[in-house]
Amino acid sequence: MSQSPDALQSFVDQIRQAAAQRTPLQIRGGGSKDFVGCLQPAALLDTRSLTGVVDYAPSELVVTVAAGTPLSELESLLLAQGQCLPFEPPHFGWSGSASQATVGGMVASGLAGPARASVGSVRDYVLGLKLINGQGERLTFGGQVMKNVAGYDVSRLMAGAMGTLGLITEVSLKVLPLAPSEATLVFPLPQSDALEHLHRWGGEPLPLNASCWVHDASAGQAGRDLLFVRLRGAAAAVEAACGRMLKEVPGERMDKSEAAADWALCRDQKLPFFTGGGQADHVLWRLSVAQTAPVLDLPWPQLVEWHGGLRWLWAPLQAGARLQAAAKAAGGNATVFVAAGADTTGAKCQNHSQSAGQGALLKRLKAAFDPAGIFNPGRLYSDF
């Protein structure tokens, strides 16, 4: 199906009126990412009327879908054909209700799950999209095939922009077949040893797909440090890797159904670390660092994903300078990622950091796509 011209025109009219009056608009689908960034008071632009699969060619591994389509519906459609979104976009929905995440929010947030380090990010699977810019113009970028692009691939620019550059109305995505085989191994290892093994395994021809290191406080009085590693690929490759890794490092293979449930909890931040790890004055910090970075010298417990490239921890908002310095020394950055149970007072408005060069480039992009500055002002940066 295709989108109703009347539905799209209503968005165009709303955007043009807002631009003329310089009235801020909050682009919002299911609201599952409301905690990300800094929400400012603004008139709501609800995308949930933009629903439906526009085109799906399973043999071509391409699906085109309207931005307000529930993510769960798209994943169910793909699963019926033995396919998936390999980057495992999170659904969140901590209230216990059904997931409200939409495809447009998935792209706009750019958030990916446990497999991100092995399969790529959301933007790596965006083939093209349609959007309405801040002047009410309907624009189309990219297409439905992967190809070399002469110039800037604007469609992928929208991944992670949090709606600050335009209203995504439709997106074409590359999908992949489900892996033929999967196994999860768990090893009792301290973080330093876990990182060492992950770095070594990452340089070998093993079907590594995801990893998670965490201190399991429920295991006895002192708890245990555990490394979970998920393998995906051809059955022979997965079985060979399991035998080799368990021979090298003492561990065990998890039950498949139990492991699948745990990885889903990890994806949606419903593990005990996320739901009960923060004190009253703590917020959840996200540290993106080099995979080869050593254990960070910080006093707060951590959960490590992406083969060492993503470190989560609960810490006071006032620890920002220390965390930024630690992340920068490890080749990355630190941002507040407000999750379920976090103290959101002030935390939502801890905008992302940027260099002078990045700031100048972002301002030029904003001026080109949204000259009146009406889309999600301040969501990512205080002046963007």
Side-chain angles (χ1 to χ4, degrees), residues 7 33-34 76 86 106 126 133 135 143 177 181 183 186 190 193 238 243 246 268 270 274 285 297 321 337 364 368:
K33 314 295 189 306
D34 281 353
S76 295
M106 173 193 78
V126 175
N133 69 7
Q135 295 173 298
S181 183
V186 56
D193 291 350
V238 170
L246 290 172
D268 290 335
K270 293 182 179 180
F274 294 109
W285 287 86
D297 184 17
F337 193 90
R364 292 173 64 184

Side-chain angles (χ1 to χ4, degrees), residues 70-80 83 85 89 91 267:
L71 177 57
S72 58
E73 288 187 12
L74 174 58
E75 291 181 327
S76 295
L77 173 68
L78 298 177
L79 182 61
Q83 297 178 350
L85 299 170
H91 289 238
R267 177 198 70 187

Side-chain angles (χ1 to χ4, degrees), residues 5-368:
D6 292 339
L8 291 175
Q9 188 60 44
S10 68
F11 286 111
V12 169
D13 294 342
Q14 184 178 0
I15 290 169
R16 287 178 176 172
Q17 181 179 4
Q21 300 175 353
R22 294 191 175 271
T23 302
L25 293 175
Q26 178 194 344
I27 301 175
R28 186 178 190 269
S32 64
K33 314 295 189 306
D34 281 353
F35 63 90
V36 179
C38 182
L39 283 176
Q40 304 286 358
L44 180 64
L45 200 162
D46 192 329
T47 68
R48 288 175 295 177
S49 62
L50 297 172
T51 61
V53 176
V54 179
D55 186 37
Y56 180 31
S59 62
E60 301 297 326
L61 301 177
V62 175
V63 64
T64 301
V65 61
T69 303
L71 177 57
S72 58
E73 288 187 12
L74 174 58
E75 291 181 327
S76 295
L77 173 68
L78 298 177
L79 182 61
Q81 295 293 327
Q83 297 178 350
C84 67
L85 299 170
F87 51 87
E88 298 182 295
H91 289 238
F92 298 122
W94 297 296
S95 63
S97 59
S99 168
Q100 300 297 315
T102 63
V103 174
M106 173 193 78
V107 175
S109 67
L111 298 174
R116 162 66 175 85
S118 300
V119 304
S121 65
V122 177
R123 63 168 50 89
D124 296 319
Y125 293 84
V126 175
L127 300 175
L129 55 77
K130 294 181 180 180
L131 64 84
I132 303 174
N133 69 7
Q135 295 173 298
E137 299 171 326
R138 302 184 196 178
L139 306 177
T140 301
F141 300 102
Q144 293 183 315
V145 297
M146 293 293 292
K147 61 182 180 180
N148 293 327
V149 178
Y152 203 94
D153 191 348
V154 176
S155 59
R156 298 188 180 190
L157 176 66
M158 300 300 155
M162 291 302 297
T164 57
L165 299 177
L167 168 65
I168 300 172
T169 61
E170 184 178 299
V171 59
S172 294
L173 299 162
K174 177 178 69 173
V175 300
L176 291 181
L178 293 169
S181 183
E182 176 181 313
T184 295
L185 307 179
V186 56
F187 305 94
L189 292 170
Q191 187 183 156
S192 57
D193 291 350
L195 291 174
E196 180 182 346
H197 288 300
L198 286 171
H199 299 161
R200 179 169 54 81
W201 287 332
E204 298 175 357
L206 297 170
L208 299 182
N209 176 261
S211 65
C212 176
W213 179 91
V214 67
H215 177 76
D216 181 9
S218 66
Q221 186 173 2
R224 302 193 290 173
D225 293 336
L226 297 173
L227 170 65
F228 298 84
V229 179
R230 186 173 65 193
L231 306 166
R232 279 182 175 171
V238 170
E239 293 304 317
C242 286
R244 175 178 173 179
M245 295 168 69
L246 290 172
K247 185 177 180 179
E248 293 177 355
V249 184
E252 61 184 25
R253 186 167 178 167
M254 289 187 67
D255 174 78
K256 188 173 181 179
S257 60
E258 180 184 357
D262 284 349
W263 286 114
L265 292 174
C266 181
R267 177 198 70 187
D268 290 335
Q269 295 192 343
K270 293 182 179 180
L271 292 172
F273 175 87
F274 294 109
T275 59
Q279 299 178 21
D281 62 339
H282 286 192
V283 296
L284 183 66
W285 287 86
R286 181 183 191 271
L287 278 63
S288 178
V289 300
Q291 286 187 1
T292 54
V295 177
L296 302 180
D297 184 17
L298 297 169
W300 303 283
Q302 300 171 35
L303 182 146
V304 182
E305 287 191 84
W306 298 2
H307 310 332
L310 185 61
R311 320 282 173 99
W312 298 99
L313 58 88
W314 292 92
L317 196 60
Q318 295 74 20
R322 180 175 180 179
L323 294 174
Q324 284 285 7
K328 184 176 181 180
N333 59 79
T335 55
V336 170
F337 193 90
V338 180
D343 177 5
T344 59
T345 304
K348 285 187 178 181
C349 292
Q350 295 298 303
N351 298 99
H352 293 64
S353 60
Q354 56 182 304
S355 66
Q358 289 173 328
L361 177 60
L362 290 171
K363 288 178 180 178
R364 292 173 64 184
L365 285 170
K366 184 69 169 176

